[in-house]
Amino acid sequence: MATLILVRHGRSTANTAGVLAGRTPGVTLDERGAAQAAALPGRLAEVPLALAVSSPLQRCRETLAPLLAARPGLTLHTEERINECDYGDWSGRKLAELADEPLMDVVQHHPSAAAFPGGESMRAMQARAVDAVRDWDARVAADHGDDAAYVMCSHGDIIKALVADALGLHLDLFQRVHVDPCSVTAIRYTRTRPFLVRLGDTGDFGGLAPRDGDGGATAQVGGGAGAP
């Protein structure tokens, strides 16, 4: 089967503002996010890509734009099922404010039981994303061969949920996975099982430096802003 190259969108204006963007329109890449996107073609230069798939949201399309410009023959497909989690009434609110919501403890420690008011459950989010990847993987393999690779640009919680599925982890453990903006995660699917071959690779180790605060004990809903 094919190799899936998952790219989280570059750092966004919502990431730097500490806001849970969700599907709020008008969220774009910030200056650093645009630079991260500009570097993506060079990072993937040695990888032949069969096609590109994107979440419909603007920040994902902006992230893939430099890659598409560098590879004029690369076809872009939009996939609604890898859209950001529908956070419902939480969308557009400050993460610091959401930390006091009782539901946040469930999101952190028992996400398979979490459903966002006016939005979707985290179980539904994972199920649709996994279905999308399985469908695209079969399509790429059928059209381009089992050794083909394709790129898919999505969102932090979506990518973490896909990684958990690939590793056979229960969704309740997916908050232990972290992916920075514009990081690359690669999953190679085979007939009998997937292999995680890259996880959250940015080529930048600044995010490993000690930080003030809780030491990363809490997983940021939506994925966080990455290294300062």
Side-chain angles (χ1 to χ4, degrees), residues 142-207:
D143 292 346
H144 301 278
D146 289 345
D147 294 329
Y150 66 108
V151 64
M152 179 178 281
C153 188
S154 188
H155 307 271
D157 282 348
I158 295 288
I159 294 172
K160 289 163 56 177
L162 290 170
V163 168
D165 172 74
L167 293 176
L169 296 176
H170 195 282
L171 183 60
D172 286 344
L173 301 178
F174 101 124
Q175 297 289 26
R176 301 185 184 193
V177 179
H178 181 77
V179 289
D180 274 343
C182 223
S183 62
V184 172
T185 295
I187 302 170
R188 181 171 295 126
Y189 289 89
T190 73
R191 186 175 60 83
T192 56
R193 57 185 170 179
F195 293 88
L196 180 66
V197 293
R198 291 288 189 281
L199 175 60
D201 188 345
T202 63
D204 176 6
F205 294 99

Side-chain angles (χ1 to χ4, degrees), residues 39-49 67 71:
L40 190 60
R43 294 170 61 199
L44 296 179
E46 296 183 17
V47 184
L49 296 171
L67 180 64
R71 302 195 190 196

Side-chain angles (χ1 to χ4, degrees), residues 1-223:
M1 303 293 282
T3 296
L4 168 63
I5 298 173
L6 285 161
V7 177
R8 186 184 166 200
H9 62 78
R11 196 174 75 175
S12 73
T13 52
N15 292 146
T16 46
V19 169
L20 183 63
R23 300 180 181 182
T24 305
V27 176
T28 65
L29 299 184
D30 67 7
E31 185 176 353
R32 180 169 180 172
Q36 291 170 332
L40 190 60
R43 294 170 61 199
L44 296 179
E46 296 183 17
V47 184
L49 296 171
L51 52 81
V53 185
S54 177
S55 156
L57 295 187
Q58 182 175 352
R59 54 193 183 272
C60 287
R61 298 197 309 269
E62 289 179 347
T63 299
L64 288 182
L67 180 64
L68 295 169
R71 302 195 190 196
L74 191 62
T75 304
L76 178 65
H77 304 266
T78 300
E79 174 56 77
E80 179 64 39
R81 291 175 295 175
I82 60 165
N83 200 348
E84 177 66 283
C85 183
D86 184 355
Y87 298 116
D89 297 344
W90 279 28
S91 300
R93 293 178 61 186
K94 287 279 190 179
L95 288 163
E97 171 189 326
L98 291 170
D100 296 327
E101 292 280 355
L103 178 61
M104 184 59 85
D105 279 341
V106 183
V107 170
Q108 290 291 321
H109 304 294
H110 192 18
S112 65
F116 295 98
E120 70 178 332
S121 69
M122 302 197 91
R123 286 185 295 107
M125 174 199 74
Q126 183 186 44
R128 63 173 165 82
V130 169
D131 285 347
V133 163
R134 297 291 182 176
D135 289 347
W136 279 104
D137 189 71
R139 176 174 173 177
V140 169
D143 292 346
H144 301 278
D146 289 345
D147 294 329
Y150 66 108
V151 64
M152 179 178 281
C153 188
S154 188
H155 307 271
D157 282 348
I158 295 288
I159 294 172
K160 289 163 56 177
L162 290 170
V163 168
D165 172 74
L167 293 176
L169 296 176
H170 195 282
L171 183 60
D172 286 344
L173 301 178
F174 101 124
Q175 297 289 26
R176 301 185 184 193
V177 179
H178 181 77
V179 289
D180 274 343
C182 223
S183 62
V184 172
T185 295
I187 302 170
R188 181 171 295 126
Y189 289 89
T190 73
R191 186 175 60 83
T192 56
R193 57 185 170 179
F195 293 88
L196 180 66
V197 293
R198 291 288 189 281
L199 175 60
D201 188 345
T202 63
D204 176 6
F205 294 99
L208 301 180
R211 303 187 199 183
D212 295 333
D214 66 359
T218 300
Q220 283 204 29
V221 181

